[in-house]
Amino acid sequence: MTDVDDVGNSLVAFSTADAGTTLRLRDEVGGHEYTLGSSEAVSLEPASPDRFVFPVDAAVSFTTSELVLPTDATTFVRDEQGEHLGQLTDERWSFERGTYYVELSPSPKAYVLVPDASFTGVHPTFGEFGSTPRLEFDEPTRIFVGARSPHERPQATITVPDDPEALATAFSYLGSSIKEWSCERSWPTIRGHPPAIERGEELHVPDVLEKPDTGVTIAVPPTYADLYRVAPLAFYLGADVVPGEEAELRLDLGYTEPLRRPGRTLEESVDRLLARCLLLDSLVRVGGYYSFPRYEYDEVAPHLPFYPPELYERSVGEQLVEYLEVPFDVLEPHVPKWTTTAVLRPRLEDAAVVPPLLDSLSRVHVATGADASAEPGRTLDTAVTAYAGRTPPVGETRLVPAAFENLRGREQSVPAECRFDFFGVGQAAVDAYDRVCNAVDTGHEDGVPTRRRRTRPTREVLRRALGASEFLHFGGDVTDEGFVCADGVLPWADLGSVETTVVSIAGGAGGDGVDAAVSLVESGAAAAVVFDGAVPDETVGRLAGYLRSAFSLAWAAELAADDTPHRLVGDATRSVTSRSGGTTPEVLDFTSVGTDRHRLTYRTEVTEQLELGSVLRPAADFAEGGYYLTGGSVVQSMGLTSAEVVDLFEEGYVVRLNGTVYPSAGELTLETVCRSARRALDETGQRT
């Protein structure tokens, strides 16, 4: 065998170090890497990714007697078919001769294929118990290591001239980042970032990109508007996009489904079909890598004309034929709340934002007419509606392409390391912030993060804060020139590099404040919130508290702003911090159905850690049905008494009772709950 110093491709590469006793795995797209250790020097040989039942981008093989694992990796063992056998811990496990996969979950994700061998494995947490995480083989064994890039950045860039048919060709390659064409692509880690698109003189598709071969074609009139509308579906289905007189889905099985029909717009059809596919794929995949109990499966599967696991090995087209037979009314209550619906303009310059939007599986609509509204029709539930190139309506978002670039490679701070700056507000803002942080359970045992309050900063103080804080509120005047500080105006051009994740300003009504927020995002911020005129200190504090508790800007503003008009700018789905253990923000939404009986809807949010298609298992005793899709709103069958509502509030949940949010300890008492119930029942005429 010949040593190979660097094996892999443009996504994942392997190399050796330390005289061959260290194997380095490198994510070529995102730049992440880690190492595995061997008891002896190894010689790497390229291996086929097809050896693995799991999708990998590249693989190598070598012989070793012992493999040292990353200390901070999560390590699962699976059998030859990929069925889960358990997670390695500090207790040594023995595995009799057979074929196994050992799954490692740092970045890039890796699988160690152990063919026809016996071994023992141990993985103490962070080096506890005096032992190193390792696999020990009973004899020198030839193993295979495959790795998959999380593919958080575009692998390549497609150049497109000002020609809709050229854009159609480019859109046919959007799905080239998806790792496999089974229903497992409903997992976000399987999808990857689509290739970037830029404007140029002629169409150029880099050789590294491969057009998916799923047997699905989307025909659409060759206009920018209709091409944008079908882009999410083209990505998720790996469809070949071709010009056509009518918008329709064509399968190589000979089946055709019209996408624009009487009473339903193209946008509605695409939104519904995308939601249908994601939800049903997430049910069919219980026959695949992860078979744990699912709430949505128990609720939906009995009403389907097929048994979901039986579709697991079927082609995309065969699955679609079955999926289209299901009435959407059966599915809609269980479709997760989508993160973003982007409203683009029917022009080529907006093509560049399509790939980063699809990275989070956003919906894409198109503005039409003088009022720049989207194509008329009923829109499914979405957290954020983001408009390109215009001031958004109150409560909505201005889409800024720079926000996507700003977020790449930026690590989220842990809660205790966050810095929050308040300028031009009273002590009430900080007090409200502290109350929310103390009430919402997000790992505050790590300590309260740094927070500063100043009345009116100098230009230098503000510039330094914009380069260091996770959240900054500026309560002073904002003009076309810049921030009005104690010693003059800090111009937009002199902001320097803005590292603040979220900036909050009282920018005045209409477009002036939005223009200021756009400048902040283009200087490096991820997002901004602009309040129309004066904003109560209490609102500022609550907003910051929810951001500290890992809520996205959009959800934090919804919970905190009450009736204060505001607009968002940039990536409003962004969180400034993350929760320990990969959990997601939760809201308990209660509706009173009696003076001492309240119906609970459990709501979760799609986050950067748990994107669309992910699942979570609530730790709370009241949660029913195992794992839930993130972004879901699950109505619990059990009702709760007023005393039980108060108990849950005191456990650290954000509680919304009959439409009113109670974020702070002491605000929700038994008397408050009963009074709210009586008022709600009187308003609906249920109490006599």
Side-chain angles (χ1 to χ4, degrees):
M1 292 183 292
T2 303
D3 276 341
V4 180
D5 291 331
D6 212 338
V7 179
N9 52 34
S10 60
L11 293 172
V12 168
F14 304 87
S15 60
T16 57
D18 302 325
T21 60
T22 297
L23 171 63
R24 179 177 291 112
L25 289 75
R26 187 170 67 254
D27 171 15
E28 297 286 74
V29 177
H32 308 292
E33 69 175 37
Y34 61 93
T35 61
L36 304 176
S38 173
S39 54
E40 59 258 59
V42 300
S43 296
L44 302 183
E45 288 193 347
S48 171
D50 294 338
R51 278 186 169 271
F52 295 77
V53 298
F54 304 98
V56 297
D57 295 316
V60 294
S61 67
F62 55 89
T63 299
T64 188
S65 300
E66 180 182 85
L67 194 66
V68 179
L69 308 177
T71 303
D72 57 351
T74 303
T75 308
F76 298 104
V77 180
R78 300 178 180 276
D79 66 15
E80 186 173 6
Q81 286 73 42
E83 291 294 325
H84 179 73
L85 299 178
Q87 180 177 351
L88 293 184
T89 63
D90 58 285
E91 181 179 351
R92 188 172 298 275
W93 285 37
S94 296
F95 297 89
E96 61 184 23
R97 181 170 290 274
T99 296
Y100 301 90
Y101 289 94
V102 180
E103 176 184 340
L104 307 175
S105 294
S107 180
K109 193 179 187 75
Y111 298 91
V112 179
L113 169 56
V114 183
D116 191 28
S118 55
F119 67 96
T120 59
V122 62
H123 200 303
T125 302
F126 301 114
E128 292 178 1
F129 311 103
S131 179
T132 303
R134 66 184 66 237
L135 306 178
E136 297 175 342
F137 303 99
D138 292 347
E139 58 186 6
T141 300
R142 186 160 194 81
I143 63 174
F144 299 81
V145 177
R148 182 175 74 239
S149 169
H151 209 143
E152 297 166 342
R153 301 168 182 260
Q155 181 185 8
T157 299
I158 301 174
T159 303
V160 181
D162 196 350
D163 175 8
E165 293 195 16
L167 187 63
T169 301
F171 279 5
S172 299
Y173 287 84
L174 289 171
S176 61
S177 64
I178 293 180
K179 309 296 181 179
E180 70 169 67
W181 290 102
S182 74
C183 57
E184 301 288 359
R185 73 188 183 284
S186 55
W187 291 107
T189 56
I190 302 295
R191 295 195 288 268
H193 195 299
I197 295 176
E198 67 178 10
R199 188 171 185 168
E201 294 300 320
E202 60 183 20
L203 176 67
H204 174 67
V205 180
D207 293 339
V208 71
L209 301 179
E210 293 185 12
K211 184 187 295 187
D213 182 17
T214 63
V216 179
T217 298
I218 294 176
V220 67
T223 66
Y224 289 127
D226 282 352
L227 285 168
Y228 289 151
R229 289 171 176 135
V230 301
L233 209 54
F235 169 65
Y236 190 77
L237 299 180
D240 192 17
V241 183
V242 301
E245 291 186 6
E246 300 293 336
E248 57 188 18
L249 182 74
R250 301 172 183 169
L251 307 181
D252 59 359
L253 307 174
Y255 181 92
T256 299
E257 173 78 7
L259 293 177
R260 184 182 270 137
R261 57 176 67 192
R264 187 177 304 161
T265 67
L266 177 57
E267 287 173 357
E268 285 181 284
S269 293
V270 170
D271 290 355
R272 288 159 64 107
L273 185 52
L274 185 63
R276 178 189 298 270
C277 289
L278 182 77
L279 176 59
L280 289 174
D281 278 347
S282 80
L283 304 188
V284 172
R285 77 188 186 201
V286 301
Y289 305 153
Y290 304 96
S291 56
F292 37 61
R294 280 280 306 285
Y295 166 81
E296 295 86 5
Y297 188 96
D298 293 341
E299 292 292 311
V300 175
H303 305 288
L304 299 177
F306 53 82
Y307 177 56
E310 289 184 351
L311 296 186
Y312 185 80
E313 299 290 345
R314 307 281 282 277
S315 70
V316 173
E318 290 171 324
Q319 291 171 341
L320 278 169
V321 169
E322 298 289 347
Y323 291 178
L324 288 165
E325 291 298 315
V326 183
F328 193 70
D329 290 347
V330 172
L331 306 176
E332 187 170 6
H334 306 285
V335 172
K337 188 173 188 176
W338 234 250
T339 54
T340 303
T341 296
V343 182
L344 305 185
R345 299 161 296 183
R347 57 183 73 171
L348 180 60
E349 64 189 272
D350 282 355
V353 300
V354 171
L357 286 168
L358 299 187
D359 183 45
S360 59
L361 209 59
S362 299
R363 299 184 178 118
V364 179
H365 292 185
V366 179
T368 58
D371 63 350
S373 60
E375 185 182 60
R378 187 168 69 89
T379 300
L380 297 175
D381 200 12
T382 188
V384 172
T385 302
Y387 295 80
R390 58 165 289 207
T391 297
V394 170
E396 304 295 358
T397 303
R398 165 73 181 270
L399 183 65
V400 181
F404 300 114
E405 296 296 328
N406 297 343
L407 295 175
R408 288 178 186 163
R410 182 180 293 183
E411 297 292 332
Q412 285 184 326
S413 299
V414 298
E417 295 176 357
C418 289
R419 169 176 161 176
F420 285 69
D421 281 298
F422 301 87
F423 294 113
V425 295
Q427 183 62 33
V430 174
D431 292 343
Y433 166 78
D434 288 343
R435 289 200 305 272
V436 172
C437 288
N438 291 330
V440 182
D441 181 13
T442 56
H444 293 91
E445 68 277 1
D446 294 332
V448 176
T450 301
R451 52 171 173 74
R452 295 177 173 86
R453 183 181 73 85
R454 297 182 179 88
T455 53
R456 196 179 182 195
T458 63
R459 287 173 293 181
E460 185 57 29
V461 165
L462 180 57
R463 185 187 287 111
R464 288 201 306 267
L466 286 168
S469 60
E470 274 68 38
F471 169 82
L472 184 149
H473 175 77
F474 185 82
D477 292 334
V478 177
T479 70
D480 292 340
E481 288 75 30
F483 290 105
V484 179
C485 300
D487 57 349
V489 174
L490 176 61
W492 304 120
D494 294 341
L495 292 179
S497 177
V498 175
E499 298 295 328
T500 300
T501 305
V502 172
V503 180
S504 167
I505 58 177
D512 292 344
V514 171
D515 290 342
V518 170
S519 295
L520 286 163
V521 173
E522 290 179 340
S523 297
V529 54
V530 182
F531 292 97
D532 289 0
V535 52
D537 288 352
E538 178 80 12
T539 297
V540 173
R542 288 188 177 190
L543 172 71
Y546 290 125
L547 289 171
R548 159 68 169 81
S549 302
F551 285 84
S552 70
L553 172 59
W555 206 359
E558 175 191 332
L559 293 171
D562 298 321
D563 296 326
T564 307
H566 64 278
R567 293 172 173 85
L568 310 175
V569 174
D571 186 359
T573 68
R574 183 67 175 180
S575 307
V576 304
T577 186
S578 58
R579 295 188 170 207
S580 59
T583 58
T584 180
E586 305 158 297
V587 169
L588 306 186
D589 217 330
F590 290 98
T591 302
S592 298
V593 293
T595 53
D596 193 34
R597 207 67 182 164
H598 313 276
R599 184 175 64 245
L600 167 60
T601 301
Y602 173 76
R603 303 186 190 277
T604 61
E605 183 174 30
V606 173
T607 66
E608 295 95 318
Q609 291 75 36
L610 292 170
E611 296 180 282
L612 274 171
S614 301
V615 298
L616 76 154
R617 185 167 194 167
D621 293 338
F622 61 77
E624 305 166 354
Y627 289 82
Y628 297 177
L629 276 176
T630 54
S633 296
V634 182
V635 180
Q636 306 295 312
S637 61
M638 58 180 286
L640 282 83
T641 66
S642 298
E644 288 170 330
V645 172
V646 174
D647 288 343
L648 284 174
F649 176 75
E650 292 175 347
E651 289 179 16
Y653 293 99
V654 176
V655 170
R656 182 161 43 199
L657 174 62
N658 299 318
T660 300
V661 179
Y662 295 89
S664 306
E667 289 190 23
L668 193 67
T669 63
L670 185 59
E671 180 182 354
T672 306
V673 175
C674 294
R675 187 166 57 247
S676 174
R678 289 192 296 269
R679 183 170 57 250
L681 294 171
D682 285 340
E683 290 174 353
T684 57
Q686 298 181 54
R687 193 164 73 99
T688 58

